[in-house]
Amino acid sequence: MSESEKEITITQMEKSGRAQSNDFVAVEEPMEIRIVFGPPERRRSKSLSITMRTPGHDFELATGFLFTEGIIRSQSEIRGIEHCGPTVSGREKPNIVRVDLDERVEIDMLKLQRHFYATSSCGICGKASLAALNQLQLPQIDSKWQLSRQAVFGLPEKLRQKQSLFESTGGIHAAGLFDSDSNLICLREDVGRHNALDKLVGQLLINDRLQRQDTVLVVSGRASFELLQKALTASIPIFVAVGAPSSLAVELAEQFRMTLIGFTSAYRFNVYSHPFRII
């Protein structure tokens, strides 16, 4: 059993009676991302984010988060990364990840705080969220790569077949990146849909496989503004969701020329923006 799941005892209720049995649930624990930055004579440590995540691939999560939030531009801007702090009872590793940034990385904390506030689920208006994203100066996606509709029909099932943690727990999100032949490049699972995508982006960044123009991202749930933003920083041209998109996600995809697909199944799907990439 991995650190990502936990075995528990449950009581099953049926019409014929009740019985005790063992089951597996996905682990959910907080993880703090702490950055160390600044010139050698004035190094500073700052707690940047605390997220509820499934343990596993923590360094990928921290790396992906820093990249998709525009704090770093490449893996080379990270000098070192490690777990730190007290060890959680029953765990081998602490739930704090400290990222030592290159001294050339400039951190504008006021700008950073405004960005996190505007893009969080705090009820602020969509115009403020889009304005905060525009500050990152992300380029529009110019990929002309096209994908067949038959390939799209098969993607949710291909994702589902590779979700090992979902298979054992039933309570986990997934993000998977596929190539032009619908082969899986990488898949990550987490209780948080945004964490699953950050882990995926972090893995690709660490292994220098990120900036490809012929890939399609598939997520197991809905398409939110936050997920679209993270996929956009990775320059992914086609975003496929099993669930529905939000209005702001559609607006974002339209603005930055990303093809957004929702309600995807083996029989149908909806294209919400830039359908020229689906043939």
Side-chain angles (χ1 to χ4, degrees):
M1 185 172 57
S2 71
E3 62 181 339
S4 301
E5 56 187 326
K6 180 180 181 181
E7 187 174 10
I8 61 172
T9 300
I10 64 170
T11 301
Q12 290 182 320
M13 297 289 189
E14 300 179 358
K15 290 184 178 180
S16 59
R18 68 172 67 193
Q20 282 194 333
S21 65
N22 292 337
D23 198 7
F24 293 91
V25 294
V27 175
E28 183 177 26
E29 291 180 355
M31 189 187 90
E32 176 186 340
I33 299 175
R34 188 178 297 174
I35 57 173
V36 180
F37 62 97
E41 66 278 9
R42 295 194 310 274
R43 297 293 282 176
R44 295 177 55 193
S45 178
K46 175 71 175 178
S47 177
L48 193 62
S49 173
I50 298 177
T51 184
M52 299 301 295
R53 73 27 170 135
T54 300
H57 307 291
D58 287 349
F59 291 174
E60 294 178 359
L61 173 56
T63 300
F65 176 84
L66 293 177
F67 181 80
T68 60
E69 296 297 336
I71 299 167
I72 63 171
R73 299 288 183 179
S74 68
Q75 169 68 14
S76 64
E77 293 183 336
I78 295 179
R79 297 199 314 194
I81 185 168
E82 63 180 356
H83 286 99
C84 67
T87 302
V88 180
S89 176
R91 296 286 176 192
E92 295 182 0
K93 302 173 183 176
N95 277 338
I96 300 175
V97 173
R98 182 171 57 204
V99 184
D100 189 13
L101 298 179
D102 189 274
E103 61 188 60
R104 294 168 294 179
V105 178
E106 296 182 1
I107 303 294
D108 184 339
M109 295 308 301
L110 290 177
K111 178 180 177 181
L112 200 62
Q113 289 171 0
R114 287 196 299 270
H115 170 66
F116 286 151
Y117 175 75
T119 56
S120 67
S121 302
C122 58
I124 199 166
C125 72
K127 289 184 179 179
S129 295
L130 288 172
L133 184 61
N134 286 333
Q135 291 181 1
L136 297 179
Q137 299 180 337
L138 297 173
Q140 291 192 341
I141 295 176
D142 59 3
S143 172
K144 303 299 189 297
W145 174 63
Q146 293 179 309
L147 185 67
S148 74
R149 70 183 67 182
Q150 295 300 323
V152 176
F153 288 138
L155 289 175
E157 180 58 26
K158 287 189 174 184
L159 182 75
R160 174 68 182 83
Q161 290 176 355
K162 297 297 183 179
Q163 289 181 246
S164 59
L165 195 52
F166 180 86
E167 184 68 27
S168 61
T169 67
I172 207 85
H173 290 285
L177 193 71
F178 293 82
D179 65 16
S180 57
D181 295 319
S182 298
N183 297 315
L184 182 65
I185 299 173
C186 179
L187 180 144
R188 289 292 180 263
E189 295 178 282
D190 198 279
V191 289
R193 57 174 61 89
H194 55 290
N195 291 335
L197 184 49
D198 276 340
K199 288 180 178 181
L200 171 67
V201 172
Q203 198 276 345
L204 296 171
L205 190 66
I206 290 170
N207 291 281
D208 196 27
R209 296 192 297 170
L210 188 61
Q211 302 297 332
R212 294 181 53 172
Q213 295 294 305
D214 59 346
T215 56
V216 50
L217 175 69
V218 185
V219 299
S220 57
R222 62 185 179 88
S224 65
F225 169 84
E226 184 179 28
L227 292 187
L228 264 290
Q229 170 214 320
K230 291 178 180 297
L232 182 62
T233 62
S235 300
I236 297 171
I238 301 177
F239 188 112
V240 174
V242 173
S246 68
S247 62
L248 203 56
V250 174
E251 185 176 346
L252 185 62
E254 185 64 37
Q255 177 179 339
F256 286 92
R257 295 184 60 80
M258 176 185 287
T259 299
L260 174 59
I261 299 173
F263 290 112
T264 312
S265 71
Y267 308 100
R268 61 181 292 273
F269 58 83
N270 298 332
V271 183
Y272 293 88
S273 62
H274 303 288
F276 73 90
R277 293 194 180 95
I278 307 302
I279 56 177

